[in-house]
Amino acid sequence: MIYYHLALFVPQAREVRAEQGFGNGYSFGADFYPIWLTSRASLLTHRDPYSPEMTRQIQIGLFGRSLDTSNPAAPPDYRAFAYPAFVDVLFWPAALLPFSVARVGLAVILVAVTALSIFLWLRALCLSLSVSPVTIPALVLLTLSSYAVLEGLFAEQLGLLVGFLLAASLAALVDGRLSLSGSLLALTLIKPQMTALVVAYLLLWSFGQWRARWRFVGSFLLTSALLVASSLLVWPGWIPQWLQVVFGYRQYSTPPLVGYLLGTAVGSRLTPFLVAIFLVSALALAARMRHASPTSTEFALTVSLLLAITAITLLPGHAVYDHVILLPGVILIALSWRVFARSIPLFRVVLGAGALALFWQWILAPAVIAMRPILSPQLFASAVLTLPIRTAASIPFGVLALLGLMMRQGTRKKLPVEMFDCRKPGTD
């Protein structure tokens, strides 16, 4: 899968971009480049990261020239700086390095934190004591070689860092370190759309037992305030500028997955209603589970479900690299499916379909590699190349369906306690 992505898929994508006249810019690290450029410009010359001039320079660096949105061949986004301004403040140290050096360093860091997030999620889901020594390396290898993570690593998407920070926050929460957990959760706001539902749930959960959990809310609000205040000192008017970019970006990005798969004609009409239904359901779930213990099955399922709902409602349909937030749900399903498959017939059917969608990438990649020398370049590029990634958009729906069935069963009948054991190693 790694060879398929780096040696076949990425070169073909770059070739297509070059044929359209947009291939003279950065490809590796393309999503990190706007952050590096605006951080460097603000640090050295105090320039506004949201200004039209900075947007033009970002586009020149990525595509070799600025974009004309009236050109139908232009890339489907205008690549402005779309992050909260405090992201630039956090990355000022990286801005002191040349981009060629900074992107290599960040790639190494993203690989490391993505692998480490497996261990953190196992701890956060109270599954760290129920896995075999072989399971963890397998999870790490499959995660790092998945299409979603490979896309994120090549583009150097901060979503991978957000996934790590969220896992670290919840692992700290399970260990009772509420202040650390709240501070780490605040750092996930570098991409707020990825964690908005979980943040809302955890704040609601905190208010459920305020006297015992106020430190979580306090550290979250304090860290968030420090991030916003530090950026306001540099750019006093950045918040309305950022909101303008965010709302403008919706005109260029693809709709959420829940509407994206329905097509333009149907999806444009139904997407707002479907998104509203899922978000209301998410809020109802959060309210119902606000008293759940962080070491309980219900808490683990709630967080995983909210992240799956996020993937299909709040993230753009093309943002497969942000599907790293599905990782806790996938781990939860992979390590506990036998318990549910015995008692829920429908679960077995959905599990089979979901497993096929997930493992399709690793099944088809060797076949595509083998067909490359046999087929003509035109036939290979048009009909074969994208076969391993055809099921990528359906994976979040499979995860959501399975987690929903698990939640329904889990609230009726408790799972064996040994499966969800959050004791620290060496304790009784």
Side-chain angles (χ1 to χ4, degrees):
M1 186 62 193
I2 295 172
Y3 178 85
Y4 158 80
H5 186 265
L6 295 180
L8 300 181
F9 183 77
V10 169
Q12 179 63 29
R14 295 179 66 180
E15 183 178 331
V16 171
R17 186 63 59 88
E19 291 175 354
Q20 297 173 342
F22 300 98
N24 295 324
Y26 293 109
S27 180
F28 169 45
D31 288 336
F32 175 60
Y33 178 75
I35 299 171
W36 175 87
L37 181 65
T38 54
S39 295
R40 189 176 181 88
S42 62
L43 182 62
L44 300 179
T45 61
H46 306 288
R47 298 177 65 181
D48 180 1
Y50 304 102
S51 67
E53 176 58 26
M54 283 306 308
T55 298
R56 191 180 72 85
Q57 289 194 21
I58 290 171
Q59 294 172 353
I60 291 174
L62 294 177
F63 307 114
R65 58 191 175 95
S66 58
L67 298 183
D68 178 10
T69 55
S70 63
N71 181 1
D77 59 79
Y78 63 167
R79 289 301 179 100
F81 179 73
Y83 293 88
F86 52 77
V87 173
D88 272 358
V89 177
L90 293 173
F91 279 89
W92 272 350
L96 298 174
L97 301 172
F99 182 65
S100 58
V101 176
R103 65 178 177 177
V104 172
L106 181 61
V108 174
I109 292 173
L110 290 179
V111 170
V113 300
T114 303
L116 182 57
S117 67
I118 300 293
F119 297 87
L120 293 171
W121 279 123
L122 288 172
R123 182 62 186 164
L125 298 172
C126 298
L127 292 168
S128 57
L129 299 181
S130 63
V131 297
S132 66
V134 178
T135 301
I136 295 178
L139 288 173
V140 171
L141 181 61
L142 290 172
T143 298
L144 293 179
S145 65
S146 65
Y147 172 60
V149 171
L150 288 172
E151 280 284 280
L153 290 174
F154 186 79
E156 299 195 331
Q157 252 289 329
L158 292 192
L160 296 178
L161 180 59
V162 170
F164 163 76
L165 292 169
L166 181 59
S169 172
L170 290 169
L173 188 65
V174 164
D175 286 341
R177 294 178 287 180
L178 299 183
S179 296
L180 175 61
S181 177
S183 296
L184 290 170
L185 186 66
L187 292 175
T188 67
L189 297 180
I190 58 178
K191 289 196 73 172
Q193 68 273 28
M194 290 182 64
T195 59
L197 292 181
V198 171
V199 168
Y201 169 61
L202 292 178
L203 292 177
L204 184 61
W205 169 85
S206 299
F207 292 127
Q209 295 184 24
W210 177 253
R211 289 185 178 181
R213 300 168 179 171
W214 67 267
R215 287 178 298 166
F216 175 84
V217 178
S219 62
F220 172 80
L221 295 178
L222 177 60
T223 305
S224 302
L226 289 174
L227 291 173
V228 174
S230 63
S231 53
L232 286 174
L233 290 175
V234 184
W235 308 282
W238 75 263
I239 294 179
Q241 290 179 291
W242 172 61
L243 292 176
Q244 183 179 2
V245 171
V246 169
F247 287 114
Y249 213 92
R250 297 173 60 186
Q251 302 176 12
Y252 299 87
S253 64
T254 54
L257 268 180
V258 70
Y260 184 61
L261 296 183
L262 296 176
T264 305
V266 179
S268 60
R269 296 184 177 90
L270 293 183
T271 296
F273 299 101
L274 294 175
V275 169
I277 291 172
F278 275 107
L279 292 183
V280 169
S281 301
L283 293 176
L285 174 65
R288 182 182 179 186
M289 295 298 171
R290 66 186 183 278
H291 298 299
S293 167
T295 60
S296 68
T297 304
E298 290 81 5
F299 188 88
L301 284 171
T302 299
V303 169
S304 301
L305 264 170
L306 291 175
L307 291 173
I309 293 174
T310 298
I312 68 171
T313 59
L314 299 184
L315 302 180
H318 71 275
V320 64
Y321 39 75
D322 286 339
H323 290 177
V324 68
I325 62 175
L326 296 173
L327 193 52
V330 172
I331 292 175
L332 203 56
I333 295 167
L335 298 183
S336 60
W337 64 270
R338 291 178 179 85
V339 176
F340 298 95
R342 288 195 296 264
S343 56
I344 312 176
L346 179 60
F347 186 88
R348 295 193 290 269
V349 176
V350 180
L351 178 65
L356 179 61
L358 177 63
F359 284 95
W360 181 262
Q361 54 192 315
W362 295 295
I363 296 172
L364 265 289
V368 170
I369 294 171
M371 286 188 284
R372 177 65 185 89
I374 302 173
L375 303 177
S376 65
Q378 294 79 13
L379 178 61
F380 180 80
S382 61
V384 177
L385 179 62
T386 60
L387 286 178
I389 62 175
R390 289 289 177 87
T391 61
S394 62
I395 293 174
F397 293 96
V399 173
L400 177 62
L402 290 168
L403 290 173
L405 292 171
M406 291 169 67
M407 172 64 82
R408 182 182 178 185
Q409 181 70 7
T411 54
R412 294 180 176 180
K413 182 180 179 180
K414 298 294 183 181
L415 296 180
V417 69
E418 62 270 15
M419 289 187 54
F420 293 84
D421 192 344
C422 280
R423 293 175 300 169
K424 294 181 179 179
T427 62
D428 294 331

